[in-house]
């Protein structure tokens, strides 16, 4: 099986599941407390490896978890995801937020 076919299928699944991810984020931001952290993920890019990030946002009162993949650790990424959130965010002491 061609690698391009597998990559295309993964991309198509991501596009198809985006409305579900968007809805989970809306429901998550209704909670009083959200827990968050990020972790590094190595991504292969044309013969080299790039360090990217997975941000995890977990609900307190119901089991909702939302993942966000970004190319950098810039604070603009979680700020953009949680821009209209008005509850408590529990995270580590990362100064970028």
């Amino acid at each position: 099986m061609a690698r391009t076919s597998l990559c295309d299928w993964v991309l198509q699944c991501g596009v198809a599941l985006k409305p579900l991810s968007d809805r989970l984020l809306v429901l998550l931001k209704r909670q009083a407390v959200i827990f968050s952290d990020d972790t590094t993920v190595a991504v292969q890019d044309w013969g080299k490896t790039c360090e990217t990030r997975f941000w995890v946002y977990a609900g307190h009162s119901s089991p909702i978890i939302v993942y966000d993949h970004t190319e950098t650790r810039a604070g603009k990424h979680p700020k953009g995801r949680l821009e209209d959130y008005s509850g408590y965010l529990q995270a580590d002491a990362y100064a970028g937020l």
Side-chain angles (χ1 to χ4, degrees), residues 1 3 11-12 21-22 27 31 34 40 42 51 53 55-56 61-62 67 69 71 74 80-81 83 86-87 93-94:
M1 180 169 298
R3 183 179 189 158
L11 288 172
Q12 290 172 16
S21 176
D22 292 343
L27 295 174
Q31 297 194 24
I34 294 176
T40 58
E51 184 177 273
R53 296 284 172 170
W55 299 84
V56 181
S61 59
S62 65
Y67 296 90
H69 181 251
E71 292 183 4
R81 279 290 195 196
E83 70 180 326
S86 62
Y94 173 50

Side-chain angles (χ1 to χ4, degrees), residues 24-36:
L24 286 171
L25 185 61
V26 167
L27 295 174
L28 181 70
K29 290 193 286 186
R30 291 181 183 170
Q31 297 194 24
V33 180
I34 294 176
F35 303 99
S36 181

Side-chain angles (χ1 to χ4, degrees), residues 26-86:
V26 167
L27 295 174
L28 181 70
K29 290 193 286 186
R30 291 181 183 170
Q31 297 194 24
V33 180
I34 294 176
F35 303 99
S36 181
D37 199 7
D38 68 297
T39 191
T40 58
V41 179
V43 175
Q44 190 169 358
D45 184 22
W46 297 102
K48 63 180 181 177
T49 301
C50 299
E51 184 177 273
T52 62
R53 296 284 172 170
F54 261 119
W55 299 84
V56 181
Y57 305 98
H60 175 261
S61 59
S62 65
I64 296 175
I65 299 174
V66 175
Y67 296 90
D68 188 26
H69 181 251
T70 63
E71 292 183 4
T72 68
R73 195 181 190 202
K76 67 181 180 180
H77 301 299
K79 286 180 183 177
R81 279 290 195 196
L82 301 173
E83 70 180 326
D84 55 348
Y85 179 64
S86 62

